[in-house]
Every structure is written in structure tokens, then in C-alpha cells.
Amino acid sequence: MFKSNKTGNLAFSICMKILRILLLALVAFASAAPLCAQKRQKVQNLPYVDQRRLHYGFLVGVNFSNVNFVHKGNDWFASVPSLSPCFEVGLLGDMALSQHVTLRSTPTLYFMQRDITFRNALSGKETVQDLKSTYMELPVTMKVATRRLVNYRPYIAFGVSAWYDWTHEEETPVVFGRFDASFHVAMGCDFYLPFFKFCPELRFNFGLLDMIDHDRKGLKDPAMMQYTDAIRSARNNSVSLVFYFE
């Protein structure tokens, strides 16, 4: 039997293992860094920047998006055989709640393109759908940082997001809904440079809603329903490497 989304799920599983390793490295780094800082003192860049309650900036990044399909057990199975990179750009707004906790909002625009492959388990016939999406994301994130270590400050973050897809096509094998919601976790580090803060971050998004339009109202070609009827649910998952500039 054809196992759907095998490559995409394997890549996402590898990314999750990387996140666990990085989290362990972050804990070890945060524990050892104060000792290193005492031995080698450096001049602090932007020494008073964290005293401001509000921070603004922008972000750019690259996103790898996957779709987790659950099937009904019919003849057709769907998968995303490879993860294609997409571009993201957005604005940054931070509000400090305490010395270590920050509330962050980053309205972001994503330009996604994914190839969905449908394969018939009996005949071996394949159909490919080019799924293009232009998402606007409105996230709310809680950022928890260590104390500042000279000119860097590791952190972890988590939150929820609302998504809206500006691109919507009807006459395709499957149609995704316009609205989505997700949970995200991330880790990164603030680097204090002479004139601004640079913050690279690795982020994982987990979709919460079934994105498939099962009704297909207004569909002109009834043959397209065989692909929709084969899918019980589909959720968006993604991995992003984001660069913040404050």
C-alpha cells in the first residue's frame, strides 16, 4: 500500500529531533555562559536597549511547509513528496512584560508553493496538484529569555497564530479553506550589535484545523470529488528559519 506523505513526515520528524537537541544545547549554553563571561569581559553593545518597554523591527525568513494528510482508506492517497522553500517577510512588535518575558506580535506574509501528489494504490496512476498559497499570519507569541550574557541572549518562544489565505482556486483536486490556526514553538538568540539587535530563530508551526473543503460547493467537474472524498483531514505544518532585526 502507498504510504502518503512519507518523505514530508520524515523531514518533519528530523526537524523535531533537531529542535530537541538545540533545546538541550540552549540549557547547557545558558548554564556555562556566565562562567565564560566572568573570565572574558567585553564591552556591551546597546547597553540600555532592554530597558525600553516597546521594541519594533522587521523580519525575513525561509519556510518549509508540509501537509499532514489523514485518509479514509479509499484507492487514492495524497502526499507532499518534497518540502519546497518559500519566502516570508513581516513586521515585529515586542512589549516587555518583565525582565525575562516579552509579548511579541509579528504580522507576516508567506508565499508558498507545494506540489501535492495523488496516487492510486490499485492502478499506480498519479495526479499532481500545484498548490499555491499567499498566507497572512497574525501570531501572538510569548518569548522567555535568559539574562543578558554580554552581547547575546538565548530564548525560547511559544504561541498561537491565525492564518488567512489570499489565494483560492476551485477547479482543483482538493481545495484548502481560507482560514487556519496553529500552535508554534521556537528557539533563538538575540545578538546585540553596535547599532541594532539581530535575532536568528528556528520555529515550528503545527496546524490545528482541518484545511480540506469537503463540500466543494460550486464544483463544475464532478470527477474532482474522488480526490477530496479520499481525505479525512489535512493540516498544515511548517519549519521556518527567521531573522529578526530590531
Side-chain angles (χ1 to χ4, degrees), residues 195-213:
F195 301 104
F196 62 91
K197 283 171 61 176
F198 172 64
C199 315
E201 177 182 286
L202 182 64
R203 173 175 162 175
F204 295 81
N205 290 294
F206 304 93
L208 301 176
L209 302 181
D210 176 14
M211 294 300 297
I212 297 295
D213 180 0

Side-chain angles (χ1 to χ4, degrees), residues 98-173:
S98 68
Q99 182 180 358
H100 299 283
V101 180
T102 302
L103 187 64
R104 166 178 288 181
S105 181
T106 53
T108 305
L109 193 63
Y110 294 80
F111 303 93
M112 294 184 181
Q113 181 173 350
R114 292 163 287 182
D115 290 332
I116 300 177
T117 299
F118 299 88
R119 186 172 186 270
N120 191 293
L122 298 179
S123 65
K125 179 182 177 181
E126 290 189 355
T127 299
V128 179
Q129 175 183 344
D130 181 11
L131 179 63
K132 295 181 179 179
S133 303
T134 304
Y135 277 108
M136 171 62 76
E137 180 197 17
L138 298 175
V140 177
T141 304
M142 190 73 70
K143 174 183 172 183
V144 182
T146 67
R147 70 181 185 87
R148 178 170 174 172
L149 307 169
V150 190
N151 285 320
Y152 44 89
R153 192 180 192 191
Y155 68 86
I156 58 174
F158 57 91
V160 294
S161 300
W163 300 71
Y164 180 80
D165 187 2
W166 296 92
T167 307
H168 199 71
E169 300 181 19
E170 292 291 344
E171 298 300 315
T172 55

Side-chain angles (χ1 to χ4, degrees), residues 38-50:
Q38 291 176 1
K39 295 180 180 180
R40 186 180 59 182
Q41 294 293 331
K42 292 184 178 180
V43 176
Q44 282 194 349
N45 296 322
L46 306 174
Y48 306 110
V49 66
D50 290 333

Side-chain angles (χ1 to χ4, degrees), residues 52-57 91-97 102-106 141 143 155 190 197 199 244 246:
R52 299 203 308 261
R53 184 173 177 81
L54 299 178
H55 298 260
Y56 303 99
L91 302 176
L92 165 68
D94 273 359
M95 182 174 67
L97 302 180
T102 302
L103 187 64
R104 166 178 288 181
S105 181
T106 53
T141 304
K143 174 183 172 183
Y155 68 86
D190 296 336
K197 283 171 61 176
C199 315
Y244 297 95
E246 295 184 27

